Amino acid sequence: MDVKLVSRILGTVVKVAAVLPLLPLPISLLYGELDCTPPLLLTSLLMFVCGVALERIARVERHVRPRHAIVAVPIIWLVIPLFTALPYRFCEHMSWLDAYFESMSGWTTTGLTVLPDIDHAHRTILFWRSLEQWVGGLGIVVSIISILRFETPSLLYVAEAREERIRPNVVNTAKEMWKIYITITAVGFLALWAAGMNPFDALNHSMTAVATGGFSTRSESVAAWHSPAVELITVALMILGATSFVTHYRVAKTFRTSPAELPTRVIKALRQYLQDRQFLTMIGLTVAVTVYAGLVSGDRAWDVVRYYGYQAVSAITCCGFSNADVPSFPEYAKLAITILMIVGGSTASTAGAIKVLRFLIMAEAVKAAIARRTQPIRGVVVPRIGGRVLSEDEISDAFAIASAYMFFLLMGTLLLTAYGYPLVDALFEVASAQGGVGLSSGITAPNAPAFVKILLIFHMWMGRLEVLPCLAALYWLTLIPKRLAVKGRG
């Protein structure tokens, strides 16, 4: 593995990302929070200087290969939050560990927070958290690809746990995704503002809802507004964020190109969602968990839909907004919500976790295996989705990612239970961190033990990149000392 090539990729991304800490500066000036200005400027300066330094040190003529990309991207996701933790450290006076936790939670769109007093935090920092999630929702590298020419953008795109494309070209795919992303965010902002939020809160919640991040400007999250209208709008935004951007693109294209009258065009466009098997599965699972919670709890239908249903949507979309006291939920409800957090949303969306498509692939593979054992010997059974035959690579990748994901989920749960936390709460918290969700059973808190915070940071990082690239990066990092030792002996 060429260290210089990996360093060059890292340096380029860090240098370009240096512009991001400058974006909250108008908020700092608007609300008179000038004490936040120096930390933001310092963060931007450090990122730019370090990025340029890495680029110049790592000047090489060799081409980037898949192994370089799959190692560089996980390291980028460790390093960027390290730089962007500075505003939390100096504006909110958080410890270095808490600042890094908050920053990692932002970029990975997890939404778990250790910010001591959200209701009285600097608005600059609240916007900074939302901005991290908004950019992190599409991915740091995907965002950079859309504005910068990389030698091999497709390698970085895949390394950041993305496969589906809107256009054949990865750069054009990233640009189309940003157009859709900005449009949904803008519509969500206007809708939330009209529903009673002030412009600042509406902007932040629209950004974090579409990013399926879940950071809020209030400690009570969406529950602070006591508004069914706000809850309904955020439900729509969460679902849109967790729906494949390929489907969004088809909806927009159908609407633009259809020669029919406006009502017919709208119906034809929306029909694209009903043809998306991931979308239908996501909605079906949400309804199933809500009905299950209602039948077991015996609560009024309205309360079941409003509270259990809202948390179910928040869980499967991996957003993390809440309108109820989740830690007080009964264990059966927490377990049902945990299942949704493990499943997650669609591929090519801002949602995390294993993803609906992989479960569909595994289900079809199991179905085909059963059919081969029950049909005549000459019968040929192949797994399909939507009439398309699934390749062996697709099936093996789905099982590999799901298996590795579940292994680390269980290991994290065992570690938390060994620390004294109840099993259901530990499983819930690790599933939330690894799935990039943000709902909490009460374990994540400013006074949580340092080990717990470090463990959850690890799961946020690994879950965001779907485990395998992180394992590749960790393996590569373990080889560096050996190679340096070999060179030293030579």
Side-chain angles (χ1 to χ4, degrees), residues 173-245:
T173 291
K175 290 179 179 178
E176 290 293 338
M177 290 175 73
W178 268 107
K179 290 177 185 177
I180 296 167
Y181 202 49
I182 291 170
T183 301
I184 298 174
T185 304
V187 172
F189 162 68
L190 294 174
L192 289 171
W193 189 7
M197 282 188 174
N198 64 49
F200 180 79
D201 289 335
L203 177 61
N204 280 270
H205 284 83
S206 181
M207 291 168 68
T208 58
V210 176
T212 61
F215 272 155
S216 176
T217 56
R218 304 288 181 90
S219 58
E220 295 179 276
S221 190
V222 174
W225 280 268
H226 304 286
S227 169
V230 167
E231 292 164 16
L232 186 60
I233 293 167
T234 51
V235 161
L237 291 174
M238 288 189 285
I239 291 173
L240 288 173
T243 300
S244 172
F245 276 65

Side-chain angles (χ1 to χ4, degrees), residues 253-285:
K253 186 177 180 180
T254 301
F255 183 79
R256 289 196 306 265
T257 59
S258 175
E261 296 294 327
L262 182 61
T264 306
R265 287 164 61 193
V266 170
I267 293 172
K268 283 186 176 181
L270 294 180
R271 194 178 295 163
Q272 294 292 329
Y273 289 118
L274 301 179
Q275 295 172 356
D276 182 350
R277 193 167 169 185
Q278 291 189 83
F279 178 83
L280 294 177
T281 303
M282 189 166 57
I283 299 300
L285 288 172

Side-chain angles (χ1 to χ4, degrees), residues 19 59 87 89 100 124 155 203 229 251 281-282 296 312 332 336 339 356 369 371 382 386 413 430 435 437 483:
V19 72
R59 282 183 176 176
R89 175 72 181 95
Y100 188 63
T124 306
L155 298 180
L203 177 61
V251 168
T281 303
M282 189 166 57
V296 176
Y332 67 82
I339 292 172
V356 172
V382 291
T413 301
V430 176
V437 182
R483 296 196 175 188

Side-chain angles (χ1 to χ4, degrees), residues 101 105 110-114 326-327 334-335 337-338 341-342 405 408-409 412-413 416-417 421-446 448 452-453 455-457 459-460:
F101 184 102
S105 185
T110 302
L112 291 173
T113 181
V114 291
V326 176
K334 288 181 182 177
L335 283 172
I337 290 171
T338 300
M341 291 194 291
I342 293 171
Y405 190 97
F408 283 98
L409 176 66
T413 301
L416 281 188
T417 54
Y421 294 104
L423 176 61
V424 173
D425 286 353
L427 177 62
F428 188 100
E429 205 76 6
V430 176
S432 181
Q434 192 164 301
V437 182
L439 293 171
S440 178
S441 61
I443 293 176
T444 301
V452 172
K453 294 174 183 175
L455 179 66
L456 294 177
I457 287 172
H459 283 283
M460 287 189 274

